[in-house]
Amino acid sequence: MADLDGLKEGKDFGIGIPVKSEKFFLKGSQALDWGMQHRLSQIFNPKSGNTVMLAFDHGYFQGPATGLERLDLTISSLVPYADVLMATRGALRSSITPANHKAVCLRCSGGQSILKELSNEAVAVEIDDAVRINASAMATQIYIGSEYEHQSINNLIKLIDTGYKFGIPVLGVTGVGSDMDRTAKYFSLACRIAAELGAHFVKTYFVEKDFEHVTASCPVPIVIAGGKKIPELDALQMAHKAIDQGASGVDMGRNIFQSDSPIAMIKAVRAVVHENETAEKAYEMYNTLKNELN
Ligand code: 5RP
């Protein structure tokens, strides 16, 4: 029974003070339910507005790619420095400790491999399991202009509808088939389609020309993929330019876990994304940390 002794009656009702009402910080997310906004705040840092997502979901269609042969050996040590873990349920359950405070963006599509047509994906996770694994977001890929374009868009629509039932936001990943154009025109098209269908944030690739058009015409936050491994300074410059031109963070894999010094690299990426550090300063930081860690 509750202790009823010593109850104090309320007396300070703030009469005359208007009720506090804060605008939600994230682009295009003001009209979402509290739970959705709460989950998005676990992904995007409310202070910087940005995120460093660590992508290590490549195995779902590529198998044991370089740096991902043993997730327990390579990825576990990076987890403390990521805001979000972008991974499959198999990778999380088998290789990553749940005793971390990181948001999970669960890869929810699959069903193809690098040996066949990449766009031939299905929704590969039931919503119940996304809830069980405590996902802060679910991700699926759309392949605009590819053979299975319609099927991949349909996967996104299904995931968004089930996500709304449980308050879980969806990341629309703009996948590119091997013969697709990598231009601002193409990515603007793909990102806008994802957002119009209800994706709560969108992942795309940085392009040197007119990337601002991609971010400006997408009404929800954009995070960039790192793409194939490039020199560390170039990757930091890419991240900086993307943020400068309106991206809200990175969902980076190979340029972190295939780096000569993955921990130094993820810390340098964080400095760019959250502290608006220049790429050159972040690269200095990378080198210093690399030497210390070695
Ligand atoms: C695979 C993905 C990956 O998560 C992402 O593209 C990988 O990141 P990176 O390009 O930085 O290695 O969506 O389709």
Side-chain angles (χ1 to χ4, degrees):
M1 187 170 171
D3 183 355
L4 298 178
D5 289 343
L7 289 185
K8 287 187 176 175
E9 267 187 40
K11 56 181 184 194
D12 188 1
F13 296 96
I15 304 297
I17 303 173
V19 172
K20 260 193 194 170
S21 145
E22 281 175 29
K23 192 168 177 272
F24 191 63
F25 68 99
L26 213 56
K27 180 180 175 182
S29 313
Q30 280 77 27
L32 298 176
D33 177 63
W34 195 94
M36 282 257 186
Q37 292 184 342
H38 190 247
R39 287 190 175 91
L40 286 167
S41 312
Q42 290 161 353
I43 293 167
F44 295 92
N45 180 324
K47 208 164 150 217
S48 66
N50 294 338
T51 184
V52 174
M53 300 174 64
L54 176 64
F56 53 99
D57 57 332
H58 310 54
Y60 89 93
F61 71 105
Q62 281 183 27
T66 305
L68 297 180
E69 300 87 342
R70 286 280 306 271
L71 299 172
D72 57 327
L73 299 180
T74 53
I75 296 300
S76 290
S77 59
L78 295 172
V79 167
Y81 308 102
D83 297 318
V84 183
L85 310 177
M86 165 97 174
T88 61
R89 58 182 171 182
L92 290 168
R93 287 201 171 100
S94 64
S95 312
I96 306 295
T97 174
N100 67 62
H101 290 279
K102 305 301 169 177
V104 165
C105 180
L106 187 64
R107 161 62 66 180
C108 289
S109 60
Q112 89 291 39
S113 82
I114 42 169
L115 304 180
K116 291 265 175 84
E117 168 55 37
L118 286 183
S119 62
N120 194 5
E121 284 198 338
V123 172
V125 177
E126 288 277 352
I127 185 75
D128 316 46
D129 206 35
V131 171
R132 243 188 317 268
I133 216 158
N134 200 25
S136 293
M138 302 184 287
T140 187
Q141 211 123 324
I142 55 169
Y143 294 89
I144 303 304
S146 288
E147 190 178 342
Y148 293 92
E149 175 190 89
H150 176 72
Q151 180 181 311
S152 69
I153 293 177
N154 205 22
N155 294 340
L156 177 69
I157 295 168
K158 275 196 219 140
L159 213 57
I160 290 167
D161 278 331
T162 48
Y164 268 117
K165 289 191 187 138
F166 293 83
I168 303 184
V170 172
L171 169 65
V173 180
T174 58
V176 269
S178 42
D179 52 352
M180 301 314 298
D181 241 12
R182 292 183 177 228
T183 60
K185 191 171 170 204
Y186 174 75
F187 289 125
S188 298
L189 172 73
C191 291
R192 183 61 176 263
I193 289 173
E196 295 263 355
L197 291 173
H200 303 94
F201 57 124
V202 177
K203 171 172 169 174
T204 193
Y205 291 87
F206 178 74
V207 283
E208 285 293 339
K209 193 168 177 300
D210 296 335
F211 183 69
E212 275 166 323
H213 296 183
V214 182
T215 54
S217 59
C218 180
V220 296
I222 281 188
V223 292
I224 59 151
K228 66 172 193 294
K229 174 76 178 73
I230 51 179
E232 278 75 6
L233 177 58
D234 295 356
L236 292 167
Q237 275 166 343
M238 175 175 70
H240 191 272
K241 281 189 248 175
I243 300 288
D244 200 43
Q245 292 174 39
S248 302
V250 300
D251 186 8
M252 196 176 264
R254 287 163 287 178
N255 276 293
I256 292 175
F257 61 70
Q258 290 178 355
S259 164
D260 288 344
S261 185
I263 291 181
M265 186 58 181
I266 195 169
K267 285 185 159 186
V269 171
R270 289 192 73 78
V272 169
V273 169
H274 287 307
E275 286 145 45
N276 201 23
E277 193 55 276
T278 62
E280 289 67 29
K281 278 263 166 61
Y283 185 58
E284 266 176 40
M285 179 180 162
Y286 164 78
N287 280 318
T288 310
L289 286 168
K290 181 181 162 182
N291 291 334
E292 281 169 18
L293 289 164
N294 294 342

